[in-house]
Every structure is written in C-alpha cells, then in structure tokens.
Amino acid sequence: MRKLNQSDHENIMKLLGKKPAENLFTLWGIESYGYEADIQTLWGQFDSKGDLIAVLCKFKNKYTPYWETECNLQKFADIINTDTNEKEVNGIERLTKEIEPFITDGYDKRESYYYAKCDPKPDLNRSDSVRCISKEEIPQLISFYQEVPEFKREYNPESFIDQMNNGWSRIFVIKEDNKLISSASTVCETSVAAMVSGVCTLPEKKGKGLASICIEHLMYNLFQENKTLSLFYDNPEAGRIYKRLGFKDIEKWTINFCKERNNQNDN
C-alpha cells in the first residue's frame, strides 16, 4: 500500500470510474484538487499483479474507503487510527461496517441515508417554467431558502458563487411573479456525475409537483452531458417521488463519527 499520485490516475479511474455514483465524492475531489493539495490525500492497495484494488481518500477530516475485491482493511484502519483529530468515516454502508471493527476509537454516532442514482436516459422533457439562475441571483436564492423551514439557516453567498465558478454546481428554479417558489440544484459535479441537492418548494406552493419539474429539468440538462446523477433521501415519501423520475436505490450511505480521543498530558 502507498500514497497515490498523478501517475496512478488511469488505474484510479479504472477502479472508481466504473461506479461514478458510489465514488462521486472521491472523484470530485480528484478532479477539483488533484493529488498534491493539502486538503486531501489518497492511498491505494495493489494486488500481486500490480493492479489497484482499493482506495482510501481523506478529504479534510473525512475518510472514504472503496474496494470491490478483498483487501487489507487493517492497513486502511491504521491510517485512520493514527489520526488523533476529530474525524469521520463515510461511504457505502456495507464498506464502512466492514472496516468498523478495525477502527480503534469506534464510531460514536452514525447517520444513515438512502442513496439512489439515475443513469442517463432519453425519455425526459425540458420545462419552459424552469431555468438556471445566475450568480447575481444568489441573494434572492438565499432569501427563498429562508422561507423554507428545513432550509432555514445561515448561508455564505460567496460559497454558492465559488461552486458555480468552478463548475461544481448549477441551480434550477421556478419563479412566479418574479419570486422563487421551487428549486433543485447540483453539487459536486464532475465530468461524469453529480449530486442532486437543494430540492425545495415554498410551503404554500407544495403539492403541485413543482420540485419534480425542477428535478426533471435538471436531469434533462445533465443527461445531455451523459452524467450520472445521485442523491440522498431519508424518508419513503421523497423516495417514491425520486423513483417515479427513474432513480433507483444503490445502497445506504453512512456518515460515521469516530469517538473523540482524549489526549491528556502526563502529570
């Protein structure tokens, strides 16, 4: 096992690129920051033939493992265990559960979400009522979010603009009388995949299928670029809507918060 670099890129894409939805965040990190940025590090395990069989990505304080065939979980766990800072182990639930017994500090808390994807398909329509907003409209978007209870929190306008400038996000909306009433957006866009996010509608406008119209328009645009879409959802009602649009459950995605390690000085 060793750290991965640009010379490994072809082998990394051969392994991770087969399942762009399952590996979206690692692929996004590679495309966005490469292999030398301080914000992330990648390690790989190789078989006896020299083929890459497993990858561990650390992005900020988040560790995301991926493998398809048997690998040495203890080696990945040793890297995670050496990190004494607050950290998370994220990824497909089956994989994070397999590595859990090797994590010295264990998981203190776990969040689990349904994870679904939709591969490009032709039978979609654009809607004239939906359009992609500009950077100048971000303040209006934030005001709209503040009117939706589950989205009401503090937002940094520059963060939205930065994501749009880098091609990591686009935001589709429906307006009525020049007021935003529904939206759906992408995050972590790569050359092959993207995550659906920011799906919401004003409370008084719910029940009219507006969010579905936004998502389908988003799907149409992304599928024109042959990108796979994925999304998280945490309730069956939302799941039924997404499945009607063509999304299929993959596996659950978990965010596992490692127990905080007490670093006490010797007396």
Side-chain angles (χ1 to χ4, degrees), residues 116-118 186 194 196 218-219 222-223 227-231 247:
K117 75 169 182 176
C118 189
T186 61
V196 179
L218 179 155
M219 293 167 69
L222 274 290
F223 289 167
K227 295 186 180 184
T228 294
L229 290 174
S230 60
L231 54 81
F247 283 85

Side-chain angles (χ1 to χ4, degrees), residues 118-126 216 219-220 223-224:
C118 189
D119 292 320
K121 60 178 187 174
D123 56 335
L124 289 170
N125 297 310
R126 298 183 64 174
E216 189 167 28
M219 293 167 69
Y220 177 90
F223 289 167
Q224 294 297 304

